[in-house]
Each structure stands twice: as C-alpha cells, then as structure tokens.
C-alpha cells in the first residue's frame, strides 16, 4: 500500500484512528478506574453494579487495519510452494472502485514478488450483482470495470463473471459451485495449457459508430455470441454527447452487437449492465456471461472517493 499513491488516504485514515486512540488512552483507563470504584460502592450498598463502560478497541489491532490480514493469513504461507491463487473479494471497495483499480493490481504484483515463483496464475471473481442501498447504483459497475481492467493489464490473470448466478438480496450468493467451475476453466486454460477450453464469456474490445447504431466487437466469442435465455438482449443503454443514457435495443449480427435507440440519433457511448443489480442475458454459446462494460471514459461516481 505504501508504494501506491492512490492508497495513501487509507494509510493516513487508519494512522489517524490509531493516533486518536493513543491520545485518548488515558481517559479510557480513567473511565475504567471510575467504574471500578462505583462498582465497589454499589456492592457495599447492596445495589446493582453499573454497566462496565465500553472501551474502544485499538484500531491497530483490528483486522481491517492495513496489513493485518496479510500478516496474519498470507505472510505465513509464503515459504510454501503454490501453483496459483484464487481470489473472491471487492464488495467492501464498491464505493472506492476507482481506487481499487490501483490497489488490486498492486496486491497481485506484491504477492508474486514475495513468493518469488514468477507470474503464477491469479484467478479472481468479479463480484456478484447486489443492491448496495447505501451507494449509487453505478458504483458496483465501476468496481466490475476495475476488475476487468486488472484482467487486461496484469498478465497471468483470469476473471470469472457472475452476473447470471448472483442474488441481488444476498451479498454472498449461495451458488459457489458455478463460481468454482468458471475459475476452473481459467486454470485449465492458463495453468494447465488446455487452450481448447473457453475460459470466459465475451469481453468488449472496441466499437464503431455507423449512423444511428453503435457496433460492438468482443474477444472470447467462443462458439458465438448468444442470448443465454434465448430472449432479446437486455441491459444495454445508449447516450449521445449529452451523456444522458437511455434504454437501448441490442441484437447480434455477424458475431457483433448492434445497439440503437430511437431516443439517441447520434450515439456517443454504450454501457452494458451498468448498475449494481444488473442480471443480463448476454453471453456466448459456451454458456458464459459477458462482463459489464462501457465504451466511454467519462468521470465515474467513485472517481474522487478514497
């Protein structure tokens, strides 16, 4: 974290908590001393003992303090040989998705450096859709984007998409078997060299604008683009230069996606599944869902959150 500029607010925030605790430690001790005397007087008088004051826990002893989980759960494993890593996390970073785009790749690089085994496979799960009531509905989509960008920018990584097997009412959906199967596809393809295995659903790579239509191209098409439930494609939106997105029609043509909307005559950007509770049906004939994406680079809802 100390090597990542975007992570400095995390360090400063927790150091401030620890500093404030140490400064107030004397008053915490005094409160316990007062309680002990009051308890002794109550017992002597045959009265009920007052409730023990709650003393705040030292922030430096919390599992969420920077480095705590690493020191307790990862560092002791480093002497052992490993073949690779699987990772499923990110829900707590939804409101800081832009920052996650920097610290998650840094973590992968750090673990590989510490183990000294080269760029071992690091396979991770794109978090499942969930209605984060505290946050703007696009924040989770920005976390999906940070994870997708990690897949593209860090070699030896693989990402399992879960938009079709989540539970928008449960942040930890029960279907972990399909998650494991999708991670296994990446392991077979990358770690074990079975290149005939299709490890991923469609991933957006480029677009072109033709009149009132946006034409999208993808990698990991597999046996072909498809609607996973054989119904019209859902969760595509389209915007013009005004950056106002409208629900759009999307269909497959020549293994590309064509997006159009009567409300957007001059399209500038397309977004797919760009909300936290999105459960779209776009994927490939291998049965694997497409990752949420956007064609624009406009500032997001988490751009300034640290």
């Amino acid at each position: 974290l100390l090597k990542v500029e975007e992570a400095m607010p995390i360090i400063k925030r927790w150091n401030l908590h620890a500093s404030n605790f140490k400064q107030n430690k004397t008053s915490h001790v005094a409160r316990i001393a007062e309680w002990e005397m009051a308890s002794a007087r109550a017992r002597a008088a045959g009265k009920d003992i007052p409730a023990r004051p709650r003393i705040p826990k030292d922030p430096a002893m919390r599992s969420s303090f920077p480095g705590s989980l690493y020191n307790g759960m990862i560092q002791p494993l480093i002497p052992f040989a490993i073949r690779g890593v699987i990772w499923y996390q990110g829900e707590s970073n939804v409101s800081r998705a832009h920052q996650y785009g920097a610290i998650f790749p840094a973590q992968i690089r750090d673990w590989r450096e510490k183990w000294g085994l080269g760029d071992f496979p690091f396979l991770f799960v794109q978090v499942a859709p969930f209605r984060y009531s505290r946050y703007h509905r696009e924040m989770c989509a920005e976390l999906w984007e940070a994870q997708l960008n990690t897949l593209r920018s860090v070699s030896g990584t693989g990402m399992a998409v879960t938009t079709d097997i989540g539970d928008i009412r449960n942040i930890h959906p029960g279907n972990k078997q399909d998650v494991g199967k999708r991670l296994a596809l990446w392991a077979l393809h990358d770690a074990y060299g079975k290149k005939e295995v299709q490890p991923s659903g469609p991933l957006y790579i480029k677009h072109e604008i033709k009149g009132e239509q946006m034409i999208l191209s993808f990698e990991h098409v597999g046996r072909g683009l498809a609607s996973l439930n054989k119904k019209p494609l859902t969760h595509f939106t389209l915007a013009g230069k005004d950056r106002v997105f409208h629900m759009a029609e999307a269909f497959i043509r020549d293994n590309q996606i064509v997006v159009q909307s009567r409300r957007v005559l001059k399209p500038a950007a397309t977004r797919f599944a760009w909300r936290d509770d999105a459960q779209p049906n776009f994927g490939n004939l291998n049965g694997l869902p497409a990752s949420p994406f956007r064609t624009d680079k406009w500032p997001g809802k988490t751009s300034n959150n640290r």
Side-chain angles (χ1 to χ4, degrees):
L1 289 173
L2 290 171
K3 297 177 182 179
V4 183
E5 182 179 354
E6 290 86 348
M8 287 305 100
I10 298 175
I11 302 294
K12 291 179 180 178
R13 182 163 56 247
W14 279 100
N15 283 344
L16 179 61
H17 292 331
S19 176
N20 289 340
F21 174 83
K22 291 177 181 178
Q23 291 178 10
N24 296 326
K25 192 172 182 179
T26 301
S27 63
H28 300 331
V29 173
R31 288 166 59 197
I32 289 296
E34 291 173 0
W35 171 80
E36 289 176 343
M37 290 188 292
S39 297
R41 291 193 297 269
R43 280 192 293 268
K47 298 180 179 180
D48 291 337
I49 297 174
R52 181 186 176 94
R54 295 186 62 182
I55 304 302
K57 187 176 180 180
D58 184 349
M61 300 300 292
R62 294 181 181 272
S63 63
S64 48
F65 194 85
S68 291
L69 288 178
Y70 171 82
N71 287 330
M73 302 179 72
I74 301 300
Q75 195 279 334
L77 302 177
I78 290 176
F80 298 96
I82 62 172
R83 189 64 181 89
V85 168
I86 58 173
W87 176 263
Y88 192 165
Q89 180 274 338
E91 293 86 354
S92 62
N93 298 83
V94 161
S95 65
R96 296 174 286 121
H98 182 77
Q99 179 189 64
Y100 194 78
I103 62 176
F104 184 39
Q107 173 188 299
I108 297 172
R109 291 192 295 268
D110 181 64
W111 287 19
R112 287 172 170 173
E113 178 183 333
K114 295 286 175 47
W115 253 280
L117 298 175
D119 289 350
F120 53 72
F122 196 106
L123 314 178
F124 58 92
V125 181
Q126 199 177 54
V127 297
F130 175 73
R131 177 74 277 272
Y132 293 88
S133 58
R134 293 171 52 200
Y135 304 134
H136 192 282
R137 308 198 95 165
E138 294 180 3
M139 288 185 173
C140 184
E142 293 179 23
L143 186 84
W144 290 331
E145 181 179 58
Q147 293 177 309
L148 177 59
N149 289 342
T150 299
L151 173 69
R152 288 170 167 161
S153 64
V154 183
S155 64
T157 56
M159 181 181 75
V161 179
T162 60
T163 50
D164 61 327
I165 53 175
D167 181 347
I168 61 172
R169 296 165 298 181
N170 185 351
I171 199 169
H172 299 297
N175 184 356
K176 295 299 191 295
Q177 188 174 55
D178 283 321
V179 174
K181 289 178 179 178
R182 292 174 186 181
L183 290 168
L185 293 176
W186 278 105
L188 289 169
H189 183 273
D190 284 4
Y192 298 100
K194 295 185 179 295
K195 299 304 181 185
E196 70 276 11
V197 172
Q198 176 56 248
S200 175
L203 301 178
Y204 162 78
I205 51 175
K206 64 179 182 179
H207 71 274
E208 60 178 320
I209 299 171
K210 289 186 176 180
E212 298 177 3
Q213 296 180 331
M214 184 84 78
I215 315 297
L216 308 174
S217 298
F218 299 83
E219 59 180 333
H220 292 294
V221 171
R223 296 199 296 267
L225 300 182
S227 166
L228 297 177
N229 60 4
K230 303 186 185 307
K231 296 180 179 181
L233 299 179
T234 64
H235 291 81
F236 282 88
T237 58
L238 197 63
K241 292 183 179 179
D242 60 1
R243 303 187 180 186
V244 177
F245 283 87
H246 302 276
M247 295 303 298
E249 174 191 6
F251 57 90
I252 300 167
R253 185 176 67 196
D254 298 330
N255 266 339
Q256 294 179 307
I257 296 293
V258 179
V259 185
Q260 59 189 24
S261 172
R262 294 179 180 178
R263 303 184 67 178
V264 183
L265 301 182
K266 294 183 178 180
T270 293
R271 292 181 176 182
F272 168 66
W274 207 251
R275 50 185 290 165
D276 57 9
D277 60 354
Q279 295 179 294
N281 61 354
F282 171 43
N284 59 24
L285 289 171
N286 300 73
L288 298 172
S291 170
F293 67 89
R294 59 174 175 160
T295 65
D296 64 275
K297 298 297 181 183
W298 297 333
K301 303 302 181 184
T302 67
S303 296
N304 297 316
N305 293 356
R306 298 293 186 274

